[in-house]
Every structure is written in structure tokens, then in C-alpha cells.
Amino acid sequence: MAVAMAMAMASAANCSVYFSSSNSTNTLPVFELKHHSWPAAFVSRPSHNLQKRSVRLSSSTTRLIPRATPSAAAVEGTDTVPTPKVIIDQDSDPDATVVEITFGDRLGALLDTMNALKNLGLNVTKANVYLDSSGKHNKFAITKASTGRKVDDPELLEAIRLTIINNLLEYHPESSSQLAMGAAFGVEPPKEKVDVDIATHITVEDDGPDRSLLFVETADRPGLLVDLVKIITDINIAVESGEFDTEGLLAKAKFHVSYKGKAIIKPLQQVLANSLRYFLRRPSTEEASF
């Protein structure tokens, strides 16, 4: 439907659009990544197949950890729970995917998280920690173990994000009320539910002659990164790189995009924004990611 709508809007704007592994019970999340026929790359070139295809992470491709149980070390009710943040950065390092995790000053060395990432077929090549007024920031540079290169598969990037969030839910159950996935997998669901219509903001800006910048902010949910890349490439727009941030109940994405190697012209910018807005604000029951 998003493709058909995009084609109709493009016509109205006088714009032509050419259209894995298993773990033991002691290991945290298990993600079974299955091969798809569409090109799975974060440096993603659009498919020319006009038929809508489902590529979101569902229960058949991803198994999440069971509902977390409180640990003796969990801090609950004693102070304000900070907002968890997970950043997946494809821009700052040309050779690796940079992941940053913040949860106030509550995070340790995150050895469990690094082991879980290794179970996804990844290497942690660098790790460092720094402090600022917002708390303790744990940063990892990760590459695919099979190639030694940065991660360019949207499904694997989403699996990284969900692995980290699931580890937060497991080892810091108090984060449950601050994360969208706490509703399904945490000990305490979020006290507030995000209104998707209000939370969704989409803008497209010029970023030189050869590419544009797409900003998306919306309510978080599993599979969102994959869905966004799929909707973008369905209207023949290429995703070159970007950053995907999880901040509590919200997701914020920044993508460098282009159309046939050039920046996106204004009419097509509107087509892109409308297609994403329609998809994010009007999810159907069968398209739900849970």
C-alpha cells in the first residue's frame, strides 16, 4: 500500500518515481537471521520489484528472551530511573559500526552484552567508557566476524539493537518501565503509552548535491529499523548510511539518502515523508512486529 500511495503522490506532484545461531539457556538473546531475497544492506540499494514484501522481524525470525525477573541487585523505587539510550552509529567510523549504551550511572563493564554480540557473529574491536552530565557512556566498535567489516545488514543491525535492549531488561529490570519492549518482555510496563500520531515527526533536508538527510522520530517497537529501510527502498531511494537511536520509548533515526546518485528533489522528498508517515501512523494488525 505504501508503494501505491507513493506512486499516486508522485504523480500529483508531477514527479516520476521509478519505482543465526543457537544459544544455551545461560546465554541471553537468540536471534535467528534468515536469508531474504531482497538486498539486505544498510548501504541499501533499492529493489526494482514493485511487489510489496514483508521483511520485518517477526516471531519466525527473532526469538526474544522471556519476561525478565527482578534481581537482588535491581534498584527499584529508590530514585528516579534514568532513560535508557542505545545508539547505533554507521557514520563516525568508516571501518566499524559504533554502538553506544547509556543508562545513567548504572551500567557496569557490559561483558554480558559483548558476549551476546559475539553470539550474533560479531567482533568487538574496541570498547571505551566516558562520563558526562548525562551519565556513563559505554561505546563499542563492532565488525562482522566473517568479514572483519562494519555491519551493513538492516536485520543484523536491528538484532544488535534488540540484543542490547533485552540485556538491559534482564540485568536492569528497572529499565522495563522506560522501554517500549518493557510492555511485553519486562517486569513492569511503561506507565505512559506513546501516541504515535503525536510522536511521529519526519523531515528531509538537503545535504549537498549528491544526497539528502532524512530524520525520523516515532514510537519505538521491535523491527522498526528494518521497516524504515524497507519503506524507503520501496520507492527507489537508496540508504547510504545513518544512525538509529533508541531513547526510552522513542526511536530517532537519521539516514543519508539519495535518488539515482543525487540529492532528493522536493517533490520526491514529500513522497518519501508521506509514505513513512502513513506507514508509521497507520500500522495494521497483520503488520505488527510483536
Side-chain angles (χ1 to χ4, degrees), residues 43-249:
V43 182
S44 181
R45 298 303 168 190
S47 170
H48 295 286
N49 185 355
L50 296 181
Q51 183 178 2
K52 179 176 176 61
R53 294 150 295 166
S54 176
V55 297
R56 57 189 41 82
L57 297 176
S58 63
S59 58
S60 64
T61 58
T62 305
R63 289 188 287 117
L64 300 173
I65 63 171
R67 183 180 293 273
T69 55
S71 64
V75 180
E76 295 189 66
T78 59
D79 58 0
T80 302
V81 178
T83 300
K85 296 182 181 180
V86 178
I87 297 173
I88 298 178
D89 179 6
Q90 292 288 80
D91 286 336
S92 61
D93 191 325
D95 301 316
T97 297
V98 177
V99 174
E100 181 176 330
I101 311 167
T102 306
F103 188 43
D105 59 359
R106 303 188 181 201
L107 298 179
L110 296 183
L111 296 178
D112 52 290
T113 297
M114 287 191 280
N115 286 332
L117 293 175
K118 290 179 181 178
N119 289 333
L120 293 178
L122 303 167
N123 288 331
V124 178
T125 59
K126 290 183 291 186
N128 62 73
V129 177
Y130 70 91
L131 297 172
D132 63 15
S133 59
S134 64
K136 180 180 178 183
H137 300 253
N138 296 64
K139 295 184 74 172
F140 307 110
I142 57 179
T143 59
K144 294 178 68 174
S146 59
T147 63
R149 297 179 179 178
K150 70 192 306 178
V151 180
D152 59 2
D153 181 343
E155 288 214 6
L156 185 50
L157 289 168
E158 180 69 343
I160 291 168
R161 187 176 78 96
L162 297 183
T163 295
I164 293 168
I165 291 174
N166 273 283
N167 274 26
L168 275 172
L169 292 172
E170 176 72 9
Y171 291 100
H172 294 275
E174 71 273 21
S175 68
S176 173
S177 63
Q178 304 292 317
L179 291 164
M181 280 188 288
F185 306 109
V187 296
E188 181 182 357
K191 294 180 175 61
E192 299 179 3
K193 185 174 181 180
V194 177
D195 187 313
V196 176
D197 285 346
I198 296 175
T200 299
H201 305 281
I202 301 167
T203 59
V204 186
E205 300 176 359
D206 293 332
D207 186 30
D210 298 328
R211 65 182 187 179
S212 302
L213 268 176
L214 167 65
F215 297 93
V216 180
E217 179 175 337
T218 192
D220 187 31
R221 58 177 175 76
L224 181 60
L225 191 157
V226 177
D227 291 340
L228 290 176
V229 173
K230 182 64 178 65
I231 292 297
I232 295 167
T233 57
D234 265 352
I235 54 176
N236 211 32
I237 292 175
V239 179
E240 298 178 2
S241 64
E243 179 179 309
F244 194 93
D245 303 351
T246 306
E247 296 187 15
L249 303 178

Side-chain angles (χ1 to χ4, degrees), residues 262-278:
K262 297 295 182 182
I264 301 174
I265 61 175
K266 296 297 182 182
L268 189 53
Q269 288 182 14
Q270 191 63 49
V271 170
L272 174 60
N274 288 348
S275 297
L276 287 167
R277 190 174 291 110
Y278 179 84

